[in-house]
């Protein structure tokens, strides 16, 4: 399997981290949105059907409370985004939130006098930058914190938590200055560009103004900003009460033909989700938001899917209302439908408002046509979109949060959070490991293999090592992570190429050792690895032993046998590695066509008790009777050396004799051992390598 097919790239990991942070940020706000939507719906229905209740103090209190509460949404969104991006970027949530709020305050302070007061609270947090700042600040802080020169606290005596927050001081100051200044400069540039646009917009026709408003408000929605509020703050043009035709205001036109179910004409999106989506999460959110969307309140749908910062839904979300506006205007302007002049509130459900406002069924037919057109536009995006994940625990968690259940299953929530964190943590660790490998140097060392009968070194096992950036040679701690990520073929390719180079240098110097090498079980059946093996090492085949784990035969026995036959036909020797670990199958020995068996160190560790000694001895007898060469791994003491020799082992390797050595030292060791014999106590020099 190719590594790019199994391992998500850095860009994919970053995208997943970004989308998870966005999604969880707004999921955490769904209870708030649910309550606000419910309050807005109640107040609107009272205005329509029980206007006499408006004289009660409770109505006045509820109206004021709802307005003030909703003005807090941008602040809550900023805090939620700060927390979740900090979580997935491994930052301090308090620091990210403080930086974001501080930057927003700095952008609203003017030298001429106080710019922030109680009356300006809604305007302050209605700033579109309030939602964008936490994201920019989190990524900027993460980048700056990777600069080692700014990490001035190096002491290991301090706790990691304390050291982290001391070292964050300089990155915090830098990010605040750079991000605030950068956002301010971009804002000033935007203002300069908007001045002529506003002048042209003021001189434009009413239709052009409405189209620009529809386009801009929906683009702002895609960035988590309440489109209409932000548009009015910037542009200051509210032409909703102006008439586009007799008996039809701009606001009525928008409610009738543009915003079916709220911004984005999401009634069409709901139908597309129910019709074609295979994402259980999307269907559940759609079900919960449907009652509110019927009354043109769709914040739950927009933030729950989410549409916000979701590149998969931005295009249709902006395109559908714009198309609705253009088609509706053409039909209305041509006089193809007429209107009664009857007023209706904005919460009146679609189709019903068409019956109220229209003369005849022309308005309703046009509404149905536009809803159907929107459905077909949303449909392909819904079909090919899994809005982040089809994970069952993720769906269950979202349903629980949206339904405001007080009896949330804490265990399921905890398991979900742990699983998501493990995904991100694994990706982070892999990125760190890859960086360490790239900053270091891969090496191939050789551990001597000793002939028990003649007490001399007759070959080596090739073992991977890494010289890190500090110059220390360490073991291949990264192999397991590389294998899990699908990079094992790169490791095997390196070993094959380096062994080919070393064999060539040895042969050129008149040195002809036998060398064994390990191959990943999944790669032995890969044609590319097999061809590389034959291309690089076929000329040394009679001196090369290929070690395969028993698990290789569990993958595809027939293919493994075919590959082994090809290798043995060329002259390679095949060994079964780590025999005795896991669930070794004795019956496998009668099926596989191999030349030798390597007995794992774990079996040798058990010879301290009688059963362990008996098992080891009888295993050796069985393998010998089947004609296999026996190699004992991990021999570390003289007692173990004597025992395996009596058990009938042919070759041994282990720290008693020597650790893995660089190429030239391994050559000197073997030459010396063949001249003088290998005495275990003489190997102390090599233990220091």
């Amino acid at each position: 399997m190719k590594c790019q097919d199994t391992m998500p790239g850095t860009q994919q990991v970053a995208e997943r981290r970004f989308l998870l942070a966005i999604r969880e940020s707004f999921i955490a706000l769904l209870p708030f949105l649910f309550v606000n939507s419910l309050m807005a719906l109640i107040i609107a229905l009272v205005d329509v059907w029980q206007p006499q209740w408006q004289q009660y103090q409770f109505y006045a209190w509820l109206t004021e409370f709802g307005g003030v509460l909703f003005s807090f949404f941008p602040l809550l969104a900023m805090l939620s985004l700060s927390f979740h991006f900090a979580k997935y970027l491994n930052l301090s949530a308090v620091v990210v939130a403080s930086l974001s709020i501080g930057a927003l305050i700095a952008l609203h302070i003017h030298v001429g006098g106080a710019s922030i007061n109680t009356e300006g609270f809604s305007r302050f947090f209605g700033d579109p930058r309030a939602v964008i700042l936490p994201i920019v600040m989190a990524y900027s802080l993460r980048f700056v914190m990777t600069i080692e020169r700014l990490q001035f606290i190096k002491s290991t005596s301090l706790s990691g938590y304390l050291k982290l927050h001391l070292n964050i001081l300089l990155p915090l100051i830098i990010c605040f200055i750079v991000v605030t200044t950068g956002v301010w400069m971009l804002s000033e540039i935007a203002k300069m560009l908007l001045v002529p646009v506003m002048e042209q917009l003021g001189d434009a026709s009413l239709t052009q103004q409405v189209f620009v408003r529809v386009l801009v408000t929906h683009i702002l929605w895609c960035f988590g900003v309440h489109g209409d509020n932000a548009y009015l703050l910037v542009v200051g043009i509210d032409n909703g009460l102006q008439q586009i035709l007799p008996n039809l205001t701009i606001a009525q036109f928008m409610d009738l033909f543009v915003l079916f179910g709220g911004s984005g004409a999401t009634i069409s999106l709901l139908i597309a989700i129910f019709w074609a989506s295979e994402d259980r999460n999307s269907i559940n959110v759609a079900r919960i938001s449907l009652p509110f969307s019927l009354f043109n309140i769709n914040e739950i749908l927009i933030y729950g899917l989410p549409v916000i910062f979701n590149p998969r839904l931005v295009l249709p979300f902006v395109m559908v209302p714009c198309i609705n506006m253009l088609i509706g205007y053409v039909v209305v302007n041509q006089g193809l439908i007429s209107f009664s002049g009857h007023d209706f509130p904005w919460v009146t459900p679609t189709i019903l408002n068409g019956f109220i406002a229209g003369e005849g069924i022309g308005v309703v037919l046009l509404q149905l046509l536009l809803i159907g057109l929107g459905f077909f536009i949303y449909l392909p995006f819904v079909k090919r979109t899994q809005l982040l994940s089809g994970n069952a625990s993720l769906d269950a968690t979202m349903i629980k949060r949206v339904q405001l259940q007080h009896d949330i299953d804490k265990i399921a929530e905890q398991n979900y959070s742990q699983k998501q964190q493990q995904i991100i943590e694994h990706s982070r660790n892999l990125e760190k490991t890859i960086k360490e490998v790239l900053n270091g140097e891969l090496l191939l060392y050789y551990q001597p293999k000793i002939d028990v009968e003649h007490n001399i070194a007759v070959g080596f096992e090739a073992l991977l090592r890494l010289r890190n950036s500090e110059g220390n040679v360490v073991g291949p701690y990264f192999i397991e992570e590389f294998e899990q990520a699908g990079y094992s073929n790169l490791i095997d390719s390196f070993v094959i190429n380096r062994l080919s180079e070393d064999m060539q240098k040895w042969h050129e110097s008149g040195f002809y050792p036998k060398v064994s090498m390990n191959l990943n079980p999944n790669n032995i059946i890969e044609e590319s690895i097999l061809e590389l093996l034959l291309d690089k090492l076929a000329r040394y085949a009679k001196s090369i032993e290929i070690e395969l784990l028993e698990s290789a035969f569990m993958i595809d026995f027939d293919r493994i046998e075919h590959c082994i036959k090809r290798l043995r036909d060329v002259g390679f020797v095949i060994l079964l590695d780590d025999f005795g670990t896991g669930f070794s199958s004795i019956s496998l020995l009668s099926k596989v066509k191999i030349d030798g068996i390597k007995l794992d160190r774990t079996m040798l560790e058990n010879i301290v008790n009688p059963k362990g000694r008996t098992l080891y001895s009888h295993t050796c007898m069985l393998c010998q009777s089947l004609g296999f060469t026996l190699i004992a791994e991990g021999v570390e003491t003289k007692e173990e050396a004597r025992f395996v020799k009596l058990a009938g082992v042919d070759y041994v390797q282990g720290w008693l004799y020597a650790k893995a050595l660089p190429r030239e030292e391994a050559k000197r060791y073997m030459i010396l051992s063949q001249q003088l014999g290998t005495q275990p106590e003489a190997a102390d020099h090599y233990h220091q390598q």
Side-chain angles (χ1 to χ4, degrees):
M1 186 177 293
K2 305 299 181 185
C3 63
Q4 59 264 33
D5 294 333
T6 57
M7 168 60 189
T10 303
Q11 183 176 355
Q12 291 174 304
V13 172
E15 180 188 4
R16 178 171 179 82
R17 183 187 293 124
F18 177 85
L19 292 176
L20 280 171
I22 289 293
R23 179 196 173 111
E24 290 198 355
S25 296
F26 290 111
I27 285 179
L29 296 174
L30 282 180
F32 177 86
L33 289 168
F34 185 91
V35 172
N36 268 279
S37 299
L38 188 59
M39 291 179 61
L41 181 59
I42 292 172
I43 293 171
L45 293 178
V46 168
D47 292 340
V48 175
W49 287 314
Q50 297 293 335
Q52 66 273 18
W53 290 4
Q54 296 176 359
Q55 60 183 326
Y56 296 118
Q57 288 187 349
F58 179 75
Y59 173 86
W61 178 88
L62 190 64
T63 303
E64 183 70 16
F65 176 73
V68 174
L69 187 63
F70 191 76
S71 67
F72 272 85
F73 177 76
L75 172 60
L76 295 179
M78 176 179 277
L79 294 175
S80 186
L81 286 164
S82 298
F83 171 79
H84 287 92
F85 272 91
K87 179 177 73 171
Y88 283 111
L89 295 178
N90 198 26
L91 302 170
S92 168
V94 174
V95 171
V96 176
S98 302
L99 280 172
S100 303
I101 295 174
L104 190 61
I105 293 174
L107 292 170
H108 280 263
I109 294 293
H110 300 289
V111 179
S115 302
I116 303 175
N117 49 45
T118 304
E119 294 180 358
F121 184 82
S122 296
R123 185 180 185 88
F124 175 65
F125 284 111
D127 189 332
R129 297 170 295 188
V131 180
I132 298 172
L133 272 172
I135 303 173
V136 176
M137 199 66 77
Y139 278 102
S140 300
L141 184 61
R142 179 172 180 256
F143 171 76
V144 176
M145 287 185 66
T146 60
I147 303 175
E148 292 188 7
R149 293 182 180 179
L150 301 179
Q151 309 296 309
F152 57 92
I153 303 295
K154 305 292 185 180
S155 174
T156 57
S157 60
L158 296 176
S159 71
Y161 189 78
L162 176 59
K163 186 162 66 173
L164 169 67
H165 285 78
L166 290 175
N167 278 330
I168 209 171
L169 179 60
L170 287 179
L172 182 150
I173 296 172
I174 293 171
C175 285
F176 179 80
I177 295 173
V178 172
V179 173
T180 305
T181 304
V183 172
W184 175 80
M185 292 176 62
L186 291 174
S187 301
E188 293 300 310
I189 294 172
K191 288 179 183 178
M192 293 173 55
L193 297 175
L194 283 174
V195 170
V197 174
M198 292 299 100
E199 293 177 354
Q200 293 182 5
L201 186 61
D203 297 333
S205 66
L206 189 60
T207 305
Q208 292 172 326
Q209 291 183 24
V210 173
F211 179 79
V212 171
R213 179 170 179 171
V214 172
L215 178 63
V216 174
T217 55
H218 282 82
I219 292 175
L220 290 172
W221 268 114
C222 295
F223 289 93
V225 181
H226 193 290
D228 288 319
N229 292 348
Y231 181 84
L232 293 177
L233 284 173
V234 176
V235 180
I237 301 176
D238 189 356
N239 46 25
L241 297 179
Q242 297 185 45
Q243 289 193 337
I244 192 171
L245 281 179
N247 298 327
L248 183 67
T249 65
I250 292 295
Q252 290 174 331
F253 173 79
M254 298 280 287
D255 291 336
L256 286 170
F257 304 117
V258 180
L259 306 177
F260 303 120
S263 297
T266 47
I267 285 291
S268 298
L269 174 57
L270 281 172
I271 297 172
I273 291 173
F274 289 131
W275 182 272
S277 179
E278 296 180 358
D279 182 8
R280 290 177 55 193
N281 172 71
S282 303
I283 296 172
N284 290 327
V285 173
R287 286 172 179 166
I288 295 169
S289 63
L290 178 60
F292 297 94
S293 295
L294 293 177
F295 295 95
N296 302 312
I297 299 173
N298 67 347
E299 279 83 359
I300 293 177
L301 185 68
I302 290 176
Y303 291 106
L305 285 177
V307 175
I308 308 306
F309 290 108
N310 190 340
R312 300 178 174 97
L313 285 178
V314 164
L315 181 60
F317 182 81
V318 175
M319 185 168 61
V320 170
C322 290
I323 292 175
N324 287 350
M325 185 270 165
L326 293 173
I327 295 176
Y329 176 78
V330 170
V331 174
V332 169
N333 192 52
Q334 294 296 319
L336 300 178
I337 53 179
S338 55
F339 302 89
S340 63
H342 295 153
D343 195 15
F344 58 90
W346 63 273
V347 291
T348 305
T350 303
I351 305 301
L352 178 59
N353 61 12
F355 280 112
I356 295 173
E359 292 183 343
I361 63 169
V363 172
V364 174
L365 291 176
L366 180 56
Q367 287 180 318
L368 292 173
L369 174 66
L370 293 176
I371 291 173
L373 179 60
F375 162 76
F376 284 109
I377 294 175
Y378 273 115
L379 189 61
F381 294 91
V382 170
K383 280 185 175 180
R384 68 183 181 87
T385 298
Q386 291 280 326
L387 299 177
L388 288 185
S389 174
N391 187 286
S393 62
L394 181 68
D395 297 340
T397 301
M398 180 165 182
I399 294 171
K400 290 182 177 69
R401 291 183 176 181
V402 173
Q403 291 177 336
L404 302 179
Q405 294 180 347
H406 296 292
D407 56 344
I408 292 178
D409 187 348
K410 294 182 179 179
I411 296 178
E413 174 68 16
Q414 186 178 25
N415 289 340
Y416 160 72
S417 300
Q418 290 176 348
K419 186 173 182 179
Q420 295 300 323
Q421 188 61 35
Q422 287 171 359
I423 294 172
I424 300 300
E425 190 66 27
H426 175 72
S427 300
R428 186 186 298 122
N429 290 339
L430 181 61
E431 290 177 6
K432 178 183 176 182
T433 301
I434 291 175
K435 182 178 179 181
E436 291 173 352
V437 172
L438 292 177
N439 289 339
E441 179 187 4
L442 286 176
L443 305 170
L444 205 59
Y445 273 34
Y446 299 90
Q447 185 174 37
K449 188 179 296 183
I450 310 302
D451 183 321
V452 173
E453 182 178 354
H454 299 95
N455 198 32
I456 60 173
V458 293
F460 308 105
E461 179 181 1
L463 297 172
L464 196 63
R465 294 291 183 266
L466 173 68
R467 180 181 287 117
N468 59 29
S469 57
E470 298 176 354
N472 300 320
V473 177
V474 296
Y477 62 90
F478 50 85
I479 285 183
E480 184 176 352
E481 286 191 34
F482 270 49
E483 288 178 347
Q484 291 177 356
Y487 277 144
S488 61
N489 56 349
L490 299 182
I491 296 296
D492 286 348
S493 297
F494 170 82
V495 172
I496 292 170
N497 282 299
R498 179 56 59 87
L499 180 56
S500 174
E501 295 172 6
D502 289 349
M503 291 294 286
Q504 180 179 350
K505 291 177 181 178
W506 275 334
H507 280 215
E508 289 174 352
S509 66
F511 183 59
Y512 306 97
K514 287 189 176 182
V515 181
S516 64
M517 59 179 293
N518 292 279
L519 285 182
N520 183 278
N522 295 295
N523 292 336
I524 190 64
I525 58 176
E526 283 290 328
E527 188 64 28
S528 58
I529 294 294
L530 198 58
E531 291 297 330
L532 180 66
L533 190 63
L534 294 171
D535 178 57
K536 295 293 185 178
L537 294 174
R539 57 184 174 276
Y540 311 116
K542 296 187 182 302
S543 299
I544 302 294
E545 298 172 339
I546 298 174
E547 300 180 7
L548 297 176
L549 293 173
E550 186 177 353
S551 58
F553 297 90
M554 308 303 175
I555 299 172
D556 188 332
F557 187 86
D558 292 336
R559 288 185 65 188
I560 288 290
E561 283 287 273
H562 173 72
C563 294
I564 288 177
K565 184 178 184 305
R566 288 181 61 185
L567 294 172
R568 295 185 76 197
D569 287 346
V570 175
F572 288 100
V573 175
I574 308 298
L575 303 179
L576 187 63
D577 193 17
D578 291 347
F579 187 79
T581 61
F583 300 94
S584 296
S585 174
I586 298 297
S587 63
L588 181 66
L589 299 180
S590 64
K591 302 176 184 177
V592 296
K593 295 180 176 61
I594 57 174
D595 302 288
I597 292 176
K598 297 191 72 174
L599 299 173
D600 191 71
R601 163 75 187 167
T602 55
M603 289 187 65
L604 193 57
E605 290 174 341
N606 292 327
I607 66 170
V608 293
N609 60 72
K611 290 184 178 180
R613 298 173 69 88
T614 300
L615 177 62
Y616 200 98
S617 298
H618 282 251
T619 301
C620 291
M621 291 173 58
L622 174 64
C623 294
Q624 284 177 317
S625 65
L626 293 174
F628 297 127
T629 299
L630 280 177
I631 304 100
E633 291 183 297
V635 177
E636 298 180 359
T637 67
K638 295 179 181 179
E639 291 75 14
E640 291 175 348
R642 283 193 291 268
F643 175 79
V644 297
K645 182 177 181 180
L646 291 173
V649 166
D650 301 295
Y651 304 99
V652 295
Q653 60 185 93
W655 290 359
L656 177 64
Y657 301 94
K659 293 183 179 181
L661 305 169
R663 184 187 69 242
E664 289 305 311
E665 288 191 34
K667 175 183 175 181
R668 287 196 295 271
Y669 180 96
M670 183 168 171
I671 293 174
L672 184 63
S673 77
Q674 290 179 346
Q675 292 174 348
L676 305 176
T678 302
Q679 298 300 323
E681 56 270 17
D684 292 340
H685 166 73
Y686 295 96
H687 291 179
Q688 308 302 320
Q689 301 301 320

